[in-house]
Amino acid sequence: MRLELKDIRQSYGQKVILDNLNLTFRPGIYGFMGPNGAGKSTTIRMICTVEEPVSGGIYYNGKDIYGMGEEYREKLGYVPQKAGYYPDFNAYTFLRYIAGLKGVGNADEAIEKCLRLVNLWDEKEKKLKKYSGGMKQRVSIAQALLNDPEILILDEPTAGLDPNERMNLKKLLADLAENKIIIFATHIVSDVEDLAEQVIILNKGTILLNEETETAISRLENKVWQCDLKDMDEINRIKKEYKVSRVQRHKGMARLRVISDEKPHENAFEVDGSLEEVYMQLIENKRYDCVDRDSAGQ
């Protein structure tokens, strides 16, 4: 099972959205990240065949997905960031409708299995308009699983979920990952760190990072420091001179996490880096690189 994006370029008018994108997905969980406008949603739409690239191709097990047509879409499950629903349908009726559209065999069995997976079986008779935002999100996940897809795409899947629901979703995705390609786009970096085997970071249509999550985090080995300070002059000095990734109040002190090749303060000590800090450093360095090149061209 292999999904490949080869030399993908996409543009809208003169604006380049994706530039020479090359990615390969096999069974497992991939965290897809990047700032707004990075090209994540465009990539997802192309994988779902909603739009086609200007150049390049997307292949599933060696076959062009646009040529495969319905054969490919039958293998696909998609959870959009903002899913539509019929407010007067209950969850069971809604999934019965979606199962009919997808041509799912043994629909009643599939619906019960999916509603149980997302912990909504006991709420199946309640109208969707009475569901909370998190419950609607779980219905959206259930509809994506109805056809037992080989490729599961999720756009901001934990949005609106409470901590317990987020934990249940992560467990579900981990259980499914053995025989599915799971790609989830999110701004919640901790979800990627907790769940994804591979992290992909896009910015301005290009890949900044495509590595195993553990490898990505190891980029900051011996470069993250923590110190507790009370003196505001010292705190402000460190904020000015170093890259501070986090400031927390702790027992009347300010606890700072600092990304630096050198020890930022005599009281600082090394701590493990996080994926969020890797993300911050990559995006910030890319922004400064763009500024430097723009300045050089003036």
Side-chain angles (χ1 to χ4, degrees):
M1 191 184 300
R2 187 174 73 256
L3 178 67
E4 294 178 284
L5 283 69
K6 293 185 177 180
D7 303 322
I8 294 295
R9 188 177 189 276
Q10 185 64 306
S11 61
Y12 305 141
Q14 297 298 313
K15 185 176 182 181
V16 177
I17 307 299
L18 296 170
D19 188 16
N20 195 37
L21 190 70
N22 287 276
L23 291 168
T24 300
F25 301 97
R26 293 182 175 85
I29 303 178
Y30 298 80
F32 206 41
M33 300 193 300
N36 292 332
K40 302 187 303 298
S41 295
T42 299
T43 304
I44 286 172
R45 286 197 297 272
M46 287 193 297
I47 291 174
C48 294
T49 70
V50 175
E51 62 179 87
E52 295 188 34
V54 170
S55 61
I58 303 178
Y59 306 91
Y60 187 59
N61 294 334
K63 296 181 180 179
D64 181 275
I65 65 170
Y66 301 102
M68 291 175 69
E70 200 61 35
E71 179 191 355
Y72 171 73
R73 284 186 285 274
E74 286 176 353
K75 304 177 187 300
L76 199 63
Y78 176 46
V79 181
Q81 186 173 354
K82 293 182 180 179
Y85 66 96
Y86 296 97
D88 287 320
F89 279 21
N90 62 39
Y92 197 95
T93 305
F94 177 69
L95 291 187
R96 199 74 175 75
Y97 170 69
I98 297 297
L101 293 178
K102 290 186 174 186
V104 175
N106 299 318
D108 291 331
E109 181 181 334
I111 291 167
E112 179 175 353
K113 178 182 178 181
C114 291
L115 284 176
R116 289 190 182 279
L117 281 173
V118 297
N119 296 316
L120 283 177
W121 178 249
D122 293 338
E123 306 286 345
K124 63 183 180 295
E125 301 296 338
K126 183 184 289 188
K127 288 187 176 181
L128 295 178
K129 65 184 178 183
K130 295 183 179 180
Y131 272 20
S132 67
M135 292 170 75
K136 290 172 185 173
Q137 181 74 336
R138 284 186 278 158
V139 170
S140 184
I141 293 166
Q143 66 79 24
L145 295 173
L146 278 173
N147 57 320
D148 191 21
E150 295 178 6
I151 303 168
L152 182 60
I153 312 291
L154 307 100
D155 195 357
E156 299 288 352
T158 59
L161 300 183
D162 64 33
N164 190 54
E165 289 171 333
R166 285 177 65 195
M167 181 180 67
N168 289 336
L169 175 60
K170 290 177 184 180
K171 183 179 183 303
L172 171 61
L173 294 180
D175 291 342
L176 293 171
E178 185 175 347
N179 61 355
K180 296 184 190 302
I181 295 170
I182 298 177
I183 304 168
F184 72 100
T186 183
H187 287 94
I188 304 174
V189 183
S190 59
D191 284 349
V192 177
E193 187 166 354
D194 290 346
L195 189 60
E197 303 161 44
Q198 188 95 357
V199 56
I200 300 165
I201 299 177
L202 286 185
N203 190 50
K204 298 185 183 299
T206 61
I207 297 172
L208 294 186
L209 181 73
N210 181 12
E211 289 182 348
E212 290 185 0
T213 305
E214 289 186 3
T215 302
I217 294 172
S218 71
R219 286 168 167 255
L220 290 182
E221 189 174 357
N222 304 320
K223 293 183 179 181
V224 182
W225 306 81
Q226 180 175 301
C227 55
D228 292 343
L229 300 174
K230 196 169 186 177
D231 187 300
M232 284 305 303
D233 289 338
E234 276 296 278
I235 293 170
N236 289 332
R237 178 189 69 80
I238 290 175
K239 286 182 177 180
K240 183 178 179 180
E241 295 180 6
Y242 296 93
K243 189 179 299 180
V244 176
S245 61
R246 189 182 307 165
V247 180
Q248 292 176 303
R249 300 305 301 181
H250 179 70
K251 295 182 179 180
M253 309 280 280
R255 173 166 291 176
L256 283 70
R257 285 178 65 95
V258 181
I259 304 172
S260 172
D261 290 332
E262 62 184 36
K263 191 173 183 177
H265 189 274
E266 60 182 9
N267 294 336
F269 56 93
E270 287 186 20
V271 292
D272 291 335
S274 68
L275 186 59
E276 184 174 19
E277 287 161 331
V278 173
Y279 177 87
M280 287 174 58
Q281 188 177 51
L282 283 171
I283 296 298
E284 187 170 314
N285 286 347
K286 182 67 174 179
R287 184 168 63 245
Y288 286 151
D289 178 56
C290 290
V291 170
D292 290 343
R293 282 189 283 108
D294 290 345
S295 299
Q298 292 178 353

